């Protein structure tokens, strides 16, 4: 089990637990505002854009080239941007805090 | 085994030049063919505009001569575009609701049940058109019976047999929408017309003209696209029975399969933009007030991004396709379209053993330099129901 916290644009804080699937799926299943996951997680819609906190960047890793190309043209992109459908849940992510980008 | 295949006519031009040329009624179009270029241009709305004065010009073939009503939000640029989208975005997300999905499931199930035993089914007129029309009653939240009228228009209400543009045929739709708007004014309900008429925009209500502009787009944007997607899906499963079996066993990949079929079919080939000032696209000069197009169909076969681009890989994991467009104007009806395809695949996988193609006539788009198959004018099949 990993505990993940989402902070929405409206500054709502939602902490949920999960052990499999992607962070996008976790967010959608828990109705996190601003994470729509329109394409179901195939890196085609960017409706799952989040910002990591700097200290978590290393644990989670950086985006692939395809993901980067998507992020580049999305609103509110930063060096801490990731598409949450491209991050798989695991014990190692326990305590992760994510800001919903849009 | 090649009737369901959709070839990629753009490959050579995409690799060599990155652009293609089309002379549409004397108003030429430079077609962007590479995924990255298409995405960038879609994003750069200031340079490549949708909302210019010449209404109908970003559609290819151009509708400038046959239409003077602005389609909303399609022919509007930011920031106004975003204000219109804000009025309708939530409405177009309703296909995510359980009740909507159950109704759609029942519609599609009863359609398939109705044709599964027939010796010969013409897919475009007996499945795709009724399916598209009935599903639209859910999206607009109006009585199911209304779909009878739309089915009666046939597949060619916006196109005629001879030419792809026909003002007289379009008039049928426009008159119909006028009448429906008047009805909703006289008798407001919880249908899409009434919701639009009641919406607040920049401190006022939408005008009748604006409501009409949204409604025409909803009808036109969701018709041929969905019909082609449904028909191509049937042809694909006819020639790939193993895929249908796999989806029955692994329903969890249906979502990915829908994205992959959308990529492979790319039911909307391309869409235009007007160049705001002299610039370059893919290292070619693009003059102010000339037209470019964003060729979704070509971008979706770009081998620099997609592995094995000409194959349907049902569970493709990285699939950054642009079948539903990209950036500001990305398809408003995509949630509805995706739900239709998910439901269709689910029902087929549960009820149909195999599909045999009896006869078919391809629908080839003529893009001057390129000829592209988008679907079928007719497709005759026989279903074999599950025992
Ligand atoms: C498989 C089916 C469909 C495909 C492939 C498709 C494709 C597209 C594409 C590529 C765009 C972008 C156009 C641009 O950038 O200029 C678009 C926009 C749009 N589509 Fe779809 N579409 C489909 C179904 C539908 C349906 C069912 C509806 C509604 C009933 C619809 C309504 C719209 C609207 C309103 C827009 C304009 C959005 C805007 O300008 O903000 N589409 N569609
Ligand atoms: S869910 Fe579509 S890109 Fe992540």
């Amino acid at each position: 089990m990993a505990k993940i916290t989402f902070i929405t644009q409206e500054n709502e804080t939602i902490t949920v637990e999960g052990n499999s699937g992607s962070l996008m799926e976790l967010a959608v299943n828990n109705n996190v505002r601003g994470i729509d996951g329109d394409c179901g997680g195939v890196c085609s819609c960017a409706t799952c854009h989040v910002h990591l906190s700097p200290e978590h960047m290393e644990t989670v890793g950086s985006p692939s080239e395809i993901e980067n190309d998507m992020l580049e043209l999305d609103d509110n992109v930063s060096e801490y941007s990731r598409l949450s459908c491209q991050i798989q849940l695991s014990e190692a992510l326990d305590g992760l805090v994510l800001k919903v980008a849009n | 085994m090649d009737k369901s295949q959709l070839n990629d006519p753009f490959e050579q031009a995409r690799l060599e030049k990155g652009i293609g040329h089309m002379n549409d009624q004397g108003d030429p179009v430079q077609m962007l063919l590479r995924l990255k270029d298409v995405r960038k241009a879609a994003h750069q709305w200031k340079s490549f505009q949708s909302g210019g004065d010449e209404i109908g010009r970003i559609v290819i073939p151009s509708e400038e001569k046959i239409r003077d009503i602005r389609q909303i939000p399609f022919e509007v640029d930011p920031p106004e575009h975003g204000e219109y989208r804000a009025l309708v975005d939530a409405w177009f997300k309703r296909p995510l609701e359980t009740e909507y999905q159950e109704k759609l499931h029942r519609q599609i199930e009863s359609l398939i049940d109705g044709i599964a035993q027939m010796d010969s089914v013409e897919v475009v007129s007996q499945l795709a058109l009724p399916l598209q029309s009935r599903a639209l009653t859910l999206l607009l939240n109006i009585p199911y019976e209304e779909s009878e009228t739309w089915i009666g228009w046939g597949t060619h209400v916006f196109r005629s047999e001879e030419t792809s543009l026909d003002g007289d045929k379009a008039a049928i739709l426009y008159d119909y929408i006028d009448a429906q708007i008047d009805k909703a004014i006289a008798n407001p309900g919880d249908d899409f017309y009434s919701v639009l008429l009641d919406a607040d925009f920049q401190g006022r209500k939408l005008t009748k003209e604006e409501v009409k502009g949204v409604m025409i787009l909803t009808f036109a944007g969701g018709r041929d696209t969905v019909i082609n997607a449904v028909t191509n899906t049937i042809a694909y499963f006819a020639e790939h029975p193993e895929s249908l079996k796999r989806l029955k066993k692994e329903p969890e990949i249906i979502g990915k399969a829908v994205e992959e079929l959308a990529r492979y079919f790319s039911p909307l080939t391309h869409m235009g933009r007007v160049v705001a000032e002299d610039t370059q696209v893919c290292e070619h000069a693009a003059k102010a007030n000339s037209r470019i197009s964003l060729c979704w169909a070509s971008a979706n076969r770009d081998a620099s991004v997609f592995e094995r681009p000409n194959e349907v890989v049902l569970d493709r994991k990285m699939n950054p396709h642009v079948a539903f467009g990209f950036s500001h104007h990305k398809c408003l009806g995509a949630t509805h379209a995706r739900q239709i395809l998910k439901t269709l695949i689910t029902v087929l996988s549960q009820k149909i053993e195999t599909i045999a193609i009896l006869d078919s006539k391809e629908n080839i788009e003529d893009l001057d330099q390129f000829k592209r198959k988008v679907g079928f004018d007719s497709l005759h099949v026989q279903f074999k129901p599950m025992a």
Side-chain angles (χ1 to χ4, degrees):
Chain A
M1 273 296 185
K3 220 182 222 159
I4 310 286
T5 300
F6 294 94
I7 304 171
T8 69
Q9 285 285 308
E10 294 79 24
N11 261 319
E12 194 189 348
T13 300
I14 303 163
T15 302
V16 286
E17 284 187 316
N19 47 25
S20 67
S22 72
L23 292 184
M24 178 278 286
E25 288 167 290
L26 184 68
V28 169
N29 291 337
N30 290 283
N31 300 312
V32 174
R33 252 190 105 154
I35 305 281
D36 295 344
D38 286 352
C39 76
V42 297
C43 209
S44 150
C45 71
T47 64
C48 62
H49 183 176
V50 293
H51 293 151
L52 304 178
S53 38
E55 67 268 25
H56 289 130
M57 240 5 236
E58 203 169 323
T59 336
V60 178
S62 39
S64 68
E65 193 188 334
I66 288 181
E67 182 183 334
N68 225 354
D69 288 345
M70 285 297 291
L71 284 167
E72 216 177 75
L73 298 178
D74 203 47
D75 293 337
N76 295 326
V77 64
S78 80
E79 59 188 306
Y80 305 115
S81 284
R82 287 293 313 263
L83 293 177
S84 59
C85 69
Q86 300 302 309
I87 306 171
Q88 293 302 308
L89 258 174
S90 74
E91 292 289 343
L93 300 188
D94 190 39
L96 195 67
V97 180
L98 303 159
K99 281 206 90 158
V100 178
N102 292 302
Chain B
M1 271 291 284
D2 59 0
K3 292 210 162 62
S4 67
Q5 212 167 305
L6 293 170
N7 290 328
D8 169 24
F10 309 106
E11 184 177 13
Q12 199 187 350
R14 183 175 58 239
L15 285 170
E16 286 174 4
K17 292 204 168 137
I19 60 163
H21 295 279
M22 179 172 170
N23 180 5
D24 167 30
Q25 307 163 65
D27 185 7
V29 184
Q30 294 199 76
M31 305 170 64
L32 296 190
L33 302 177
R34 295 177 184 160
L35 180 69
K36 278 190 190 180
D37 293 331
V38 166
R39 277 214 204 121
K40 257 201 209 128
H43 190 65
Q44 294 171 349
W45 60 270
K46 281 186 182 151
S47 309
F48 307 110
Q49 298 180 334
S50 299
D53 294 335
E54 304 129 326
I55 292 168
R57 192 172 172 219
I58 63 169
V59 184
I60 302 165
S62 171
E63 296 179 355
E64 230 189 309
K65 295 197 180 80
I66 59 163
R67 175 157 65 82
D68 52 15
I69 292 165
R70 186 177 295 280
Q71 293 188 351
I72 298 172
F74 173 60
E75 292 171 312
V76 184
D77 288 315
E80 268 199 327
H81 171 264
E83 294 177 54
Y84 282 119
R85 282 282 296 225
L87 297 182
V88 293
D89 271 337
W91 182 268
F92 279 87
K93 289 264 176 203
R94 287 165 47 258
L96 296 176
E97 294 168 8
T98 312
E99 196 192 332
Y100 192 111
Q101 296 183 353
E102 286 170 355
K103 283 186 187 162
L104 184 63
H105 193 98
R106 283 198 295 274
Q107 283 187 357
I108 294 182
E109 206 170 43
S110 91
L111 252 170
I112 297 293
D113 284 341
I115 58 178
Q117 311 281 349
M118 292 180 181
D119 291 338
S120 170
V121 178
E122 200 288 287
V123 177
V124 179
S125 57
Q126 290 180 282
L127 175 60
L129 174 63
L131 194 167
Q132 180 272 334
S133 299
R134 291 175 190 178
L136 189 60
T137 64
L138 296 177
L139 188 62
L140 304 186
N141 203 26
I142 58 178
Y144 176 84
E145 294 67 39
E146 203 61 26
S147 59
E148 302 299 328
T149 305
W150 312 333
I151 295 168
W153 290 339
T155 48
H156 288 287
V157 66
F158 312 114
R159 294 178 288 136
S160 63
E161 301 288 343
E162 308 77 47
T163 69
S164 51
L165 294 171
D166 192 327
D168 294 343
K169 295 229 168 157
I172 298 175
L173 174 69
Y174 295 180
D175 292 347
Y176 170 83
I177 289 173
D178 279 335
Q180 298 304 308
I181 293 173
D182 287 336
K183 241 169 75 180
I185 291 173
N187 224 331
D190 50 7
D191 53 280
F192 191 39
Y193 300 96
S194 302
V195 167
L196 289 174
L197 286 163
D198 195 42
D200 293 303
F201 180 76
Q202 302 184 337
R204 58 166 175 86
K205 297 290 178 198
L206 289 181
T207 64
K208 255 169 96 166
E209 193 82 354
E210 287 171 315
V211 172
K212 192 173 172 182
V214 176
M215 293 308 307
I216 291 171
L217 176 61
T218 308
F219 273 93
R223 197 163 167 100
D224 289 358
T225 46
V226 170
I227 289 172
N228 283 333
V230 168
T231 311
N232 285 330
T233 299
I234 300 295
Y236 169 74
F237 285 120
E239 295 193 331
H240 298 274
E242 74 288 355
S243 295
L244 201 53
K245 284 203 185 73
R246 178 172 177 201
L247 290 164
K248 185 183 180 173
K249 262 195 270 157
E250 300 174 58
E252 65 278 7
I253 66 164
I254 289 178
K256 288 197 172 65
V258 166
E259 299 306 316
E260 175 65 349
L261 292 174
R263 178 191 73 85
Y264 185 78
F265 300 151
S266 297
L268 188 61
T269 301
H270 61 163
M271 191 52 73
R273 297 287 189 268
V274 174
V275 179
E277 47 193 62
D278 287 1
T279 182
Q280 291 207 325
V281 286
C282 189
E283 292 167 7
H284 297 261
K287 285 237 169 292
N289 200 36
S290 71
R291 291 196 295 172
I292 63 159
S293 85
L294 315 172
C295 189
W296 321 112
S298 169
N300 282 339
R301 300 294 180 100
D302 192 330
S304 70
V305 181
F306 301 100
E307 284 173 35
R308 294 186 284 155
N310 298 318
E311 277 176 50
V312 174
V313 180
L314 278 184
D315 61 347
R316 197 182 280 276
K317 283 167 195 72
M318 277 303 230
N319 196 351
H321 71 82
V322 287
F324 293 112
F326 185 75
S327 201
H328 313 281
H329 290 279
K330 71 180 175 193
C331 181
L332 191 51
T335 313
H336 178 71
R338 284 179 162 122
Q339 199 57 42
I340 286 179
L341 292 177
K342 268 179 211 165
T343 311
L344 176 65
I345 292 174
T346 304
V347 171
L348 287 174
S349 72
Q350 289 165 355
K351 296 200 165 242
I352 300 299
E353 185 87 52
T354 53
I355 306 166
I357 297 182
L358 307 175
D359 187 30
S360 65
K361 189 162 168 270
E362 298 184 333
N363 176 2
I364 311 276
E365 269 180 5
D366 184 355
L367 310 161
D368 277 355
Q369 188 183 344
F370 313 104
K371 315 287 172 226
R372 175 175 192 251
K373 174 176 166 187
V374 281
F376 297 88
D377 284 335
S378 63
L379 176 69
H380 291 268
V381 303
Q382 183 175 23
F383 291 96
K384 180 170 175 231
M386 216 73 88

